[in-house]
Amino acid sequence: EDQVTQSPEALRLQEGESSSLNCSYTVSGLRGLFWYRQDPGKGPEFLFTLYSAGEEKEKERLKATLTKKESFLHITAPKPEDSATYLCAVQAGQAGTALIFGKGTTLSVSS
Amino acid sequence: GAGVSQSPSNKVTEKGKDVELRCDPISGHTALYWYRQSLGQGLEFLIYFQGNSAPDKSGLPSDRFSAERTGGSVSTLTIQRTQQEDSAVYLCASSFSGRALNEQFFGPGTRLTVL
């Protein structure tokens, strides 16, 4: 069964304290891995797509990496505005199929 | 351009009533998805529309749930005889299926509360 597991469930950081979020997956025929950010009361906001092992993508203080079994979202020198729930999802099988989501990591950054 | 829009943003209903939730996808996106997000749970796939093809209904939890997509654009998710366990945030997403890998863009969701 295709599965996505995110850890930790919650992470509290001080402003400027870098860390990483983990997303491990078990799927057959991975087409891509997605990272989303979700603020309270809002829909998920697309951040990155990773297609193959070894790929990396960066956006401001965020950097996403992918291996054959997991992905990491590295947060460098976070700010309070980075506080949100970060969701990882995979797409497997045929193009356009539904995403399989993890339960997310809720990040809190205090000043 | 405009993103995915959903209405209503909040819906409170009594157990046993029917509800309709609406989704307007991004213009030009041919694929449309419905997901459900319950407290403490990840997003759960419900149904997927792709162009004029028959929808993928494999995620619908019961026959009380149905969805339509008219004219290849707007979609309505209908829940009949609502139950308390249907309380959740219902999210709609759309994507441009012309790409090999389909980034999905989400609307703000409809928060459904069944009393």
Side-chain angles (χ1 to χ4, degrees):
Chain A
E1 180 183 350
D2 296 339
Q3 196 167 358
V4 177
T5 304
Q6 292 187 246
S7 62
E9 290 186 12
L11 180 63
R12 302 178 76 89
L13 299 174
Q14 291 289 319
E15 185 172 4
E17 180 186 2
S18 301
S19 188
S20 296
L21 314 182
N22 177 263
C23 171
S24 62
Y25 61 91
T26 306
V27 296
S28 53
L30 178 73
R31 294 190 62 86
L33 184 140
F34 302 80
W35 282 98
Y36 286 85
R37 168 189 171 131
Q38 186 173 27
D39 292 297
K42 297 189 176 182
E45 173 190 348
F46 172 75
L47 292 174
F48 302 109
T49 307
L50 300 168
Y51 298 84
S52 57
E55 188 175 2
E56 299 182 352
K57 293 254 178 99
E58 286 189 64
K59 179 180 179 180
E60 295 181 353
R61 295 177 292 282
L62 300 177
K63 177 180 173 181
T65 62
L66 181 66
T67 72
K68 288 187 177 179
K69 292 188 176 183
E70 59 191 349
S71 176
F72 291 94
L73 184 66
H74 306 278
I75 303 177
T76 302
K79 297 182 178 182
E81 54 262 42
D82 294 322
S83 298
T85 295
Y86 291 86
L87 301 172
C88 171
V90 298
Q91 188 175 56
Q94 296 181 344
T97 53
L99 299 179
I100 302 166
F101 280 86
K103 293 185 178 181
T105 294
T106 299
L107 173 66
S108 298
V109 182
S110 55
S111 57
Chain B
V4 177
S5 61
Q6 293 186 244
S7 61
S9 55
N10 281 285
K11 177 71 176 179
V12 180
T13 190
E14 292 179 349
K15 178 181 173 181
K17 301 275 189 175
D18 298 351
V19 295
E20 286 188 351
L21 313 179
R22 177 187 168 105
C23 172
D24 281 275
I26 293 172
S27 177
H29 281 191
T30 56
L32 186 148
Y33 308 78
W34 284 97
Y35 294 85
R36 177 168 72 174
Q37 188 172 33
S38 303
L39 192 63
Q41 301 297 315
L43 273 77
E44 171 193 15
F45 165 69
L46 297 177
I47 188 169
Y48 158 49
F49 295 89
Q50 169 53 32
N52 295 320
S53 302
D56 175 357
K57 303 179 182 180
S58 60
L60 294 179
S62 78
D63 59 7
R64 297 186 295 104
F65 288 73
S66 63
E68 290 185 336
R69 190 178 185 192
T70 55
S73 181
V74 171
S75 177
T76 302
L77 177 69
T78 300
I79 308 173
Q80 296 178 311
R81 303 181 303 281
T82 52
Q83 303 295 312
Q84 288 184 333
E85 60 262 28
D86 299 334
S87 296
V89 176
Y90 289 81
L91 291 158
C92 175
S94 70
S95 70
F96 177 52
S97 62
R99 295 173 56 86
L101 192 66
N102 311 116
E103 291 97 344
Q104 297 178 19
F105 296 90
F106 284 81
T110 294
R111 181 175 296 277
L112 175 66
T113 302
V114 181
L115 302 177

